Amino acid sequence: MGLERPVKESKMCTQLNSRQLIEESLNRYYSDDIREALGRFPFNFVITDPCLLDHPIVYASQGFLKMSGYSTEEVVGRNGRFLQGPDTDRRTILKIREAISEEKSCQVSILNYTKNGTAFWNLFHLAPVFSEGDGRVIHFVGVQTPISKFSRSSVTNNVSCSRPNNCPAFVENRLLNHHTSSVIYFGSCRREFSVDLSHSGLYNSLAEEDNAGLEEEPACEAKESDKQKAIDAGNRILFELTQFSKHTGKTVLDKRSNSADLVRVAPISSSLSIALNRIHQSFVLADPHLLDMPIVHASNLFLQLTGYSRDEILGRNCRLLQGQDTDQAAIAQIRQSIVAEQCCTVRILNYRKDNSSFWNLLHTAPVRNASGKVAFYVGVQLDVTGIDEDEHQDKGMTPHMKQLGAVGAVRVAVRSLHGLGSSR
């Protein structure tokens, strides 16, 4: 019984931090009135944050809620897999997945499901939102338009649909499949990247499912005029985001900027960022090929541990955690291991943003790409202040074992996904 209270408190703390991160996702880049401004649009759309764990929805329009049958509380903070259904075409999954990996716009027709299980054809338009400062994708906008039987394209005539009965606007009710291994990304059918699956293995797995007993058939197509309307809706939303971001000094754009900061810090791809965000450990990724070896990825737990925001960390060297009492011998040991391209574990005194100190059990390791060359260095942190390292265990795992597990997960993600959609 004595163990139940800390577990519940830990879950509550995690949920609180998650809610705060979701709230800050829009507040960080846009002025206070952004939600009110977005609420005036009549479109069905969502905004998601690929920098947060599980790539959650951080804003859902009233049109989207009415279309899907869900409430704001049921949507915001969740990945859009709840729109998944048994007859969603796996070929479309690949199209959307590739667009996200390459950080580009795309438009597809896809079979989605409402809360009560009713299936409907959806014209889905995806668009990335880039930070002008460092070129990272900070959000995705997904505009969704149900395709009625009156708005289908006449170009494909009687073969305009790959479903029975020539694709009625709403087909028979079905139960939502919450236990499937596929993950739908706000109607785009993006399968989640998993750190224990390689990119090629994941692709082949999907391809085998798609081709099993199926002949390739065209999807239910919307009219060209509706496709253009969806593009226009996305552009209007992006324009509004850009205008409201200027008030905060963190301008966003609909395309990656060729600014000077991009030379200093090349962003990692969204697909790699999504995979790294699934690793529950405090860690950073630094790029040894850039000047001063800047941090290019920081986990949410690292931000919680140090008190810094993501904007304050990215592009800076890890030395910002050092202070007046940090052991220079430990620093030299870390530097030597980097030169030798070797792993290193040290117990070092570091400092948070508020200047409070903590003992950090730091493990650094080189992370190689598929060709065997060092692409990054990962640093995994563990606050061991007041803890005996030799005695402390969590579920039978020593701190070092947990760090090695995190390093292994990072290495798999980098080897599988590094370079997809990268600006480099």
Side-chain angles (χ1 to χ4, degrees), residues 58-117:
V58 295
Y59 178 85
S61 72
Q62 288 301 312
F64 174 84
L65 299 176
K66 183 177 180 180
M67 177 193 73
S68 64
Y70 290 92
S71 66
T72 300
E73 292 73 20
E74 293 172 311
V75 169
V76 173
R78 295 177 59 190
N79 181 284
R81 63 178 60 92
F82 49 79
L83 292 179
Q84 182 177 4
D87 288 337
T88 303
D89 185 32
R90 295 301 183 261
R91 295 181 187 86
T92 310
I93 295 176
L94 291 178
K95 291 179 183 178
I96 304 300
R97 175 177 170 270
E98 289 170 359
I100 292 173
S101 296
E102 296 171 9
E103 299 177 346
K104 66 181 184 181
S105 299
C106 76
Q107 192 175 87
V108 295
S109 299
I110 187 167
L111 193 69
N112 280 163
Y113 292 75
T114 63
K115 181 179 179 179
N116 66 9

Side-chain angles (χ1 to χ4, degrees), residues 377-412:
Y377 275 87
V378 60
V380 185
Q381 301 81 22
L382 188 65
D383 185 357
V384 292
T385 306
I387 298 176
D388 189 329
E389 180 184 349
D390 295 328
E391 295 180 2
H392 177 72
Q393 289 193 358
D394 182 5
K395 297 181 180 180
M397 295 182 65
T398 65
H400 190 54
M401 289 170 62
K402 293 174 63 178
Q403 290 177 315
L404 293 179
V407 170
V410 170
R411 284 173 168 166
V412 170

Side-chain angles (χ1 to χ4, degrees), residues 322-336:
Q322 298 173 16
Q324 59 181 4
D325 292 329
T326 302
D327 186 6
Q328 295 300 310
I331 296 174
Q333 185 179 345
I334 296 170
R335 290 174 177 169
Q336 291 169 5

Side-chain angles (χ1 to χ4, degrees), residues 123-359:
L123 174 62
F124 173 75
H125 180 78
L126 172 75
V129 182
F130 296 93
S131 166
E132 183 183 42
D134 58 21
R136 291 182 298 120
V137 173
I138 58 171
H139 291 125
F140 280 96
V141 173
V143 179
Q144 312 207 19
T145 308
I147 304 174
S148 72
K149 61 183 178 181
F150 302 108
S151 63
R152 286 182 228 142
S153 172
S154 59
V155 175
T156 51
N157 296 322
N158 292 331
V159 292
S160 62
C161 174
S162 61
R163 301 298 172 197
N165 302 324
N166 196 30
C167 183
F170 292 91
V171 297
E172 67 274 16
N173 287 348
R174 300 178 187 273
L175 292 176
L176 287 173
N177 184 356
H178 295 288
H179 304 289
T180 178
S181 60
S182 296
V183 175
I184 304 307
Y185 175 67
F186 52 83
S188 67
C189 305
R190 179 182 64 80
R191 174 166 294 191
E192 276 288 356
F193 293 105
S194 176
V195 296
D196 60 354
L197 290 175
S198 68
H199 174 59
S200 59
L202 182 58
Y203 185 97
N204 292 337
S205 170
L206 283 171
E208 288 170 3
E209 288 182 26
D210 296 343
N211 298 327
L214 293 176
E215 296 295 329
E216 185 167 351
E217 299 174 272
C220 185
E221 289 293 328
K223 293 191 301 185
E224 290 301 318
S225 59
D226 289 334
K227 293 180 180 180
Q228 187 57 50
K229 287 179 181 178
I231 295 174
D232 294 341
N235 289 338
R236 287 181 61 184
I237 296 167
L238 288 168
F239 177 80
E240 199 78 355
L241 293 176
T242 299
Q243 295 306 306
F244 277 80
S245 67
K246 291 178 180 178
H247 299 300
T248 65
K250 300 177 181 178
T251 306
V252 302
L253 303 170
D254 60 352
K255 61 184 66 176
R256 179 167 281 130
S257 169
N258 293 321
S259 67
D261 281 349
L262 273 178
V263 178
R264 182 173 61 87
V265 183
I268 63 175
S269 68
S270 292
S271 54
L272 178 55
S273 179
I274 291 169
L276 294 175
N277 281 329
R278 300 186 66 186
I279 302 172
H280 294 272
Q281 189 76 35
S282 172
F283 72 95
V284 294
L285 212 61
D287 192 331
H289 305 292
L290 297 178
L291 181 64
D292 203 29
M293 197 170 170
I295 295 171
V296 294
H297 178 86
S299 71
N300 292 327
L301 288 179
F302 174 85
L303 302 179
Q304 294 175 23
L305 172 64
T306 63
Y308 287 97
S309 68
R310 185 167 278 104
D311 293 331
E312 293 171 320
I313 286 292
L314 295 181
R316 300 185 63 181
N317 186 279
C318 296
R319 72 173 66 91
L320 87 164
L321 296 182
Q322 298 173 16
Q324 59 181 4
D325 292 329
T326 302
D327 186 6
Q328 295 300 310
I331 296 174
Q333 185 179 345
I334 296 170
R335 290 174 177 169
Q336 291 169 5
S337 68
I338 292 174
V339 172
E341 297 186 353
Q342 294 178 346
C343 298
C344 173
T345 303
V346 296
R347 188 182 176 100
I348 187 170
L349 188 68
N350 279 159
Y351 292 80
R352 300 181 178 88
K353 181 181 178 179
D354 62 6
N355 290 324
S356 63
S357 63
F358 67 99
W359 282 102

